[in-house]
Amino acid sequence: MANGNSNVDLKQVFGENVFNDEVMRERLPKNVYKALRKTMDEGVPLDPAVADVVANAMKDWAIEKGATHYTHWFQPMTGITAEKHESFLNTVSEGKAITEFSGKALIKGEPDASSFPSGGIRSTFEARGYTVWDATSYAFLKEDEGGLTLCIPTAFCSYTGEALDKKTPLLRSMEAVSKQALRVLRLFGNTTAKRVFATVGAEQEYFLIDKDLYLKRKDLFFTGRTLFGARPPKGQELEDHYFGSLKDRIANFMRDLDYELWKMGIPVKTKHNEVAPAQHEIAPIYENVNIATDHNQVIMDTLKRVANRHNLACLLHEKPFAGVNGSGKHNNWSLSTNEGQNLLDPGKTPHENAQFLIFLCAVIKAVDEYAEILRASAANAGNDHRLGANEAPPAIVSMYLGDQLTEILENIEKGNGTEKKEREYLRVGVNTLPPLPKDASDRNRTSPFAFTGNKFEFRMVPSSASIATPNIVLNTAVAEVLSEIADRLEKAKDFNEEVNNIIKEIYKNHKRIIFNGDGYSEDWVKEAERRGLKNINNTVDALCALISDKSIKLFAKHGVFTEVELRARYEIKLEEYIKHINVEARTMIDMVKKEIVPAVIKEITDVANSISAFKNVVKEIEPTTQIELIKDLQNNLNELNKETLELEKELEKVHQFNGTLYEKACLFRDVIVERMKKVRVYADRLEMIVDEDRWPFPSYDKLMFYI
Ligand code: ADP
Ligand code: MG
């Protein structure tokens, strides 16, 4: 099993279970290898004749490694991955098994996928979807208690070609940004780059708690977060967990996790304790966004699996515990040519720096212009507890550039290009442009979108969600601005002059998005409002941006989403929100009625018995403590019961409601979520006064500190 890893040879282990370049080169005929490589590097379509050869080599390799099954591994709109395992067994001849895996089976699969959310797309066209091999992401072997399975990264579409997954539009958005970035690069004289990749390194936060304790909490089990829980005496105020030394049990888990991920070729590099007690982080080295997205899905899956093996439960929810930090996913994003030039890395020469500033400005404009769609891409019910809740990033999209870069852009904006005053200011594309700060490292942790020297870090992304959607939006929005820039530069008479004008204009028109101060402060909320920046603090409102005219136009123009696909996604997200809140409300009612109320009644009976027993023995002292306690218990119990009945009634009403999906989601947000908060108040008060041995589920202190 995987954990016999006392002496790991990292070089040997890494990619051991991946059908990677080395294996391909070794096992494929030269011409087949070359054709496949071209598909992977340049995105050219794969010749079906090549696929047969690849499939066979893949099968032989997988079987030699001990695999018996393969699966088209895909990412439907549930946000998690889906797999249906098929054995390599093809026919049986005279009692003997014959294994086969054809190019056809590799390239295309047809899962009976009618139970995946499609937002109405499939019912209108075809009941079934089909899966297509994404040859740009390596196939790998996944190892679990069921053995080894060959996983083939796959896109999932309807028969009429609509995307039913997260991968298809991501690939389309990569195509869009590559195309437009290349146009700009050519204008700057780059004739050799063949493709531009969006690169992403996603830092994943998570909580680890003891599994026995986890199983005693229905709320964690069903909803991923605690719906109740009185504040423990200690939270994160001492800041003694962040980067603290790892406890043995956690260190053991992490080592096992690293090993599992390395085997699957996932370059995880960093691991540490995070701010909240029981919170941790894992981060891989960045890769192209398609691979990074696949790998992040595998990381989430493996976190849960390995935790289980260590009798731990891994919580990926954005806010498992009230009162301490929640979890996010820091999406580090940049653009890089296939030759390895990072386009967001300030260069050494004025010419390189002019190019850098153009790409930087493209991101500035994209984030300002499409802020609401970006915000929508980070929306889910869990993140509503995080964004704007005085931790992690605020719900307002703004950008941190740092003082030095901001000053440079300020100076460029001020230069009017005529009088002698101009010499005091910067001009781009000529020799007066000084070296740009290389290490403008980000010391501002409160910004949702921060420039960190050679990449941007988008910090709003929810910890439990796929990183596909935020990157689809980023790629497409930046592609759009780059296309506008390319249009202008292609027509320009004086190239340097036009570069200068574009930077000036973009900075002038979009500098409202730049904010280098404290994103958590009240002042910023007011200032942002003055600047006209939106503060959208809930999922239902945030999602509207997906189907705005601006969004429909943007995604259609770059061939990333059709209007039908966008509307489908909007509906799926609204439904997902409703379902989440509904499960939370039902779990809450269940726990109150079946666990909390009976426990409190027993407590009251005990105290009542104690009072009468005491009075029988001692006459001259009143048992005032018990009397106060029993009144307190009964009062809170009455309130708890009243609020729970209200919640039940409202939930019933919302289910009867006959309006649009949007209106229904609003009711869940405004009525159900608010009612749930009231129920929690009384339950948490009771937890503070009931005998702790009697409380029906483990308390916050045990969950967060007993490991
Ligand atoms: P911090 O925790 O300070 O934000 P880390 O070094 O832990 O920083 O994480 C930064 C992440 O950014 C890593 O995953 C790293 O690989 C990634 N990264 C670095 N350079 C790039 C780049 N050019 N494009 C995308 N991601 C990058
Ligand atoms: Mg970070």
Side-chain angles (χ1 to χ4, degrees):
M1 217 38 255
N3 42 7
N5 54 346
S6 46
N7 281 312
V8 173
D9 177 352
L10 179 50
K11 271 198 189 143
Q12 187 160 13
V13 163
F14 189 82
E16 182 186 299
N17 284 343
V18 185
F19 192 73
N20 59 18
D21 193 67
E22 197 186 325
V23 182
M24 285 182 201
R25 204 192 294 258
E26 198 181 288
R27 292 181 174 250
L28 295 174
K30 236 193 183 104
N31 59 334
V32 172
Y33 170 77
K34 268 195 183 154
L36 185 58
R37 207 57 255 181
K38 221 170 154 60
T39 298
M40 299 184 77
D41 298 338
E42 296 165 36
V44 300
L46 188 75
D47 179 353
V50 167
D52 262 329
V53 185
V54 179
N56 203 46
M58 221 185 243
K59 180 205 74 179
D60 289 347
W61 170 80
I63 289 177
E64 277 167 38
K65 288 264 180 194
T68 49
H69 288 70
Y70 71 90
T71 178
H72 284 259
W73 179 84
F74 60 104
Q75 297 162 40
M77 259 111 74
T78 51
I80 50 173
T81 50
E83 41 195 82
K84 177 187 173 197
H85 298 197
E86 306 272 355
S87 80
F88 288 115
L89 197 63
N90 189 43
T91 45
V92 178
S93 164
E94 292 168 10
K96 278 190 90 72
I98 296 176
T99 60
E100 194 186 271
F101 186 46
S102 66
K104 224 171 101 203
L106 167 65
I107 289 186
K108 208 163 158 177
E110 293 184 53
D112 178 15
S114 46
S115 294
F116 291 113
S118 75
I121 284 182
R122 252 171 306 126
S123 56
T124 354
F125 301 95
E126 271 277 359
R128 286 159 76 96
Y130 70 92
T131 54
V132 211
W133 179 36
D134 167 20
T136 62
S137 181
Y138 294 133
F140 60 96
L141 294 170
K142 185 168 138 177
E143 186 175 6
D144 56 25
E145 307 272 316
L148 283 160
T149 304
L150 174 68
C151 294
I152 301 156
T154 296
F156 179 41
C157 301
S158 79
Y159 261 100
T160 39
E162 274 89 6
L164 295 173
D165 68 348
K166 306 234 169 198
K167 188 187 264 289
T168 308
L170 180 64
L171 291 171
R172 293 175 185 161
S173 75
M174 287 170 72
E175 199 57 48
V177 78
S178 176
K179 188 170 151 197
Q180 302 305 333
L182 280 177
R183 280 179 69 200
V184 173
L185 281 180
R186 295 285 182 260
L187 290 159
F188 275 93
N190 182 327
T191 53
T192 51
K194 288 198 169 133
R195 211 179 148 84
V196 169
F197 288 101
T199 52
V200 164
E203 302 162 57
Q204 173 76 49
E205 291 179 332
Y206 61 94
F207 280 82
L208 277 182
I209 61 169
D210 186 89
K211 190 175 152 199
D212 295 337
L213 299 176
Y214 166 82
L215 290 174
K216 290 189 178 127
R217 297 221 35 154
K218 282 189 198 171
D219 47 4
L220 283 177
F221 189 78
F222 287 122
T223 74
R225 77 175 179 106
T226 52
L227 300 171
F228 304 102
R231 300 284 156 96
K234 181 183 172 216
Q236 65 188 39
E237 59 276 60
L238 298 181
E239 295 178 337
D240 49 356
H241 194 253
Y242 190 53
F243 285 9
S245 73
L246 301 174
K247 290 180 183 161
D248 275 346
R249 192 169 172 199
I250 302 299
N252 244 319
F253 158 84
M254 286 182 173
R255 187 172 66 167
D256 209 1
L257 175 70
D258 281 343
Y259 185 76
E260 288 279 293
L261 293 170
W262 286 333
K263 280 204 289 188
M264 288 185 278
I266 299 174
V268 286
K269 182 166 169 66
T270 313
K271 53 183 178 186
H272 62 81
N273 286 347
E274 259 299 332
V275 174
Q279 192 185 28
H280 313 278
E281 179 182 300
I282 182 164
I285 296 169
Y286 71 94
E287 302 171 280
N288 92 44
V289 61
N290 179 35
I291 313 284
T293 304
D294 282 358
H295 282 174
N296 182 252
Q297 294 297 139
V298 180
I299 288 175
M300 289 197 286
D301 186 57
T302 311
L303 272 166
K304 295 209 160 221
R305 226 157 22 81
V306 175
N308 199 35
R309 206 190 285 157
H310 288 252
N311 205 41
L312 294 163
C314 172
L315 310 177
L316 294 173
H317 194 282
E318 289 71 25
K319 192 74 177 177
F321 303 104
V324 297
N325 274 13
S327 297
K329 201 131 50 183
H330 292 174
N331 190 85
N332 295 275
W333 181 96
S334 188
L335 290 174
S336 167
T337 65
N338 63 316
E339 295 164 325
Q341 186 191 9
N342 180 352
L343 302 178
L344 289 175
D345 203 351
K348 290 189 196 74
T349 63
H351 177 82
E352 282 172 352
N353 279 339
Q355 182 185 301
F356 160 74
L357 287 175
I358 279 285
F359 279 97
L360 183 79
C361 283
V363 183
I364 295 174
K365 181 170 178 186
V367 172
D368 184 32
E369 194 74 45
Y370 302 102
E372 288 163 48
I373 313 178
L374 214 46
R375 169 66 185 87
S377 77
N380 74 11
N383 232 8
D384 283 1
H385 298 281
R386 228 181 120 237
L387 301 181
N390 225 347
E391 62 157 290
I396 307 160
V397 176
S398 70
M399 182 187 278
Y400 170 92
L401 276 188
D403 293 337
Q404 285 169 298
L405 261 185
T406 308
E407 198 186 313
I408 286 166
L409 290 169
E410 282 286 335
N411 281 335
I412 293 171
E413 187 205 347
K414 280 188 217 142
N416 54 20
T418 50
E419 328 206 338
K420 68 174 187 314
K421 203 172 137 215
E422 171 198 336
R423 247 171 276 135
E424 294 163 33
Y425 302 113
L426 294 170
R427 301 242 316 143
V428 175
V430 290
N431 294 334
T432 54
L433 191 68
L436 296 178
K438 264 278 191 192
D439 56 345
S441 65
D442 162 38
R443 264 160 261 105
N444 183 330
R445 297 265 150 189
T446 65
S447 175
F449 204 97
F451 185 67
T452 53
N454 59 3
K455 61 186 187 295
F456 277 98
E457 183 167 339
F458 184 31
R459 301 195 176 116
M460 280 184 165
V461 181
S463 54
S464 70
S466 158
I467 56 169
T469 314
N471 287 301
I472 292 168
V473 177
L474 253 174
N475 293 346
T476 314
V478 172
E480 169 55 22
V481 181
L482 289 174
S483 82
E484 294 161 12
I485 292 172
D487 286 347
R488 276 181 67 172
L489 288 177
E490 279 165 5
K491 284 192 221 111
K493 289 203 184 72
D494 179 336
F495 181 76
N496 281 342
E497 191 62 35
E498 192 65 351
V499 166
N500 203 57
N501 290 340
I502 290 172
I503 294 172
K504 254 162 92 167
E505 256 177 60
I506 288 187
Y507 185 69
K508 181 164 178 276
N509 296 335
H510 300 283
K511 66 177 171 190
R512 65 170 192 163
I513 198 80
I514 293 163
F515 175 65
N516 295 329
D518 178 4
Y520 296 176
S521 72
E522 259 313 300
D523 290 348
W524 169 233
V525 176
K526 287 189 206 115
E527 165 71 10
E529 196 181 339
R530 210 182 48 72
R531 294 189 190 185
L533 301 179
K534 289 268 170 58
N535 185 0
I536 306 170
N537 69 358
N538 69 85
T539 297
V540 184
D541 284 343
L543 291 177
C544 294
L546 288 181
I547 51 165
S548 64
D549 291 344
K550 196 189 244 183
S551 169
I552 292 168
K553 208 171 134 214
L554 170 74
F555 290 114
K557 177 173 167 190
H558 295 278
V560 174
F561 287 124
T562 62
E563 185 174 344
V564 171
E565 287 172 332
L566 270 180
R567 290 193 184 279
R569 260 149 230 263
Y570 170 72
E571 276 194 19
I572 289 168
K573 289 295 291 180
L574 273 185
E575 262 168 16
E576 180 191 284
Y577 176 83
I578 290 171
K579 284 176 189 161
H580 269 283
I581 306 295
N582 187 45
V583 171
E584 285 188 354
R586 288 176 52 190
T587 304
M588 194 166 222
I589 294 166
D590 184 282
M591 287 172 82
V592 169
K593 288 187 160 179
K594 296 205 223 145
E595 300 187 71
I596 301 179
V597 169
V600 178
I601 290 175
K602 281 195 196 111
E603 181 82 356
I604 288 173
T605 311
D606 262 11
V607 181
N609 287 341
S610 139
I611 294 171
S612 46
F614 182 85
K615 281 189 170 170
N616 279 340
V617 185
V618 183
K619 302 275 182 251
E620 60 279 22
I621 311 173
E622 268 294 296
T624 46
T625 306
Q626 290 94 315
I627 291 169
E628 284 309 312
L629 177 61
I630 202 168
K631 281 199 241 163
D632 207 7
L633 285 165
Q634 191 60 52
N635 282 335
N636 280 301
L637 182 65
N638 290 345
E639 291 301 317
L640 176 69
N641 191 48
K642 197 179 99 205
E643 290 299 344
T644 307
L645 290 176
E646 281 298 324
L647 172 63
E648 242 183 326
K649 215 167 73 196
E650 293 294 350
L651 198 60
E652 187 58 33
K653 259 172 48 194
V654 180
H655 280 294
Q656 304 296 333
F657 176 75
N658 246 336
T660 63
L661 202 57
Y662 168 76
E663 289 164 340
K664 195 166 173 183
C666 288
L667 287 176
F668 271 93
R669 177 195 63 194
D670 299 334
V671 180
I672 304 302
V673 170
E674 292 309 311
R675 282 269 156 223
M676 285 171 61
K677 286 183 190 157
K678 293 194 171 144
V679 173
R680 176 168 186 159
V681 168
Y682 297 104
D684 288 359
R685 276 189 200 161
L686 283 163
E687 188 183 336
M688 288 301 287
I689 52 176
V690 168
D691 179 352
E692 98 176 299
D693 294 333
R694 175 163 275 149
W695 195 248
F697 35 80
S699 56
Y700 267 30
D701 46 2
K702 293 202 181 66
L703 291 171
M704 287 194 281
F705 293 99
Y706 286 24
I707 224 162

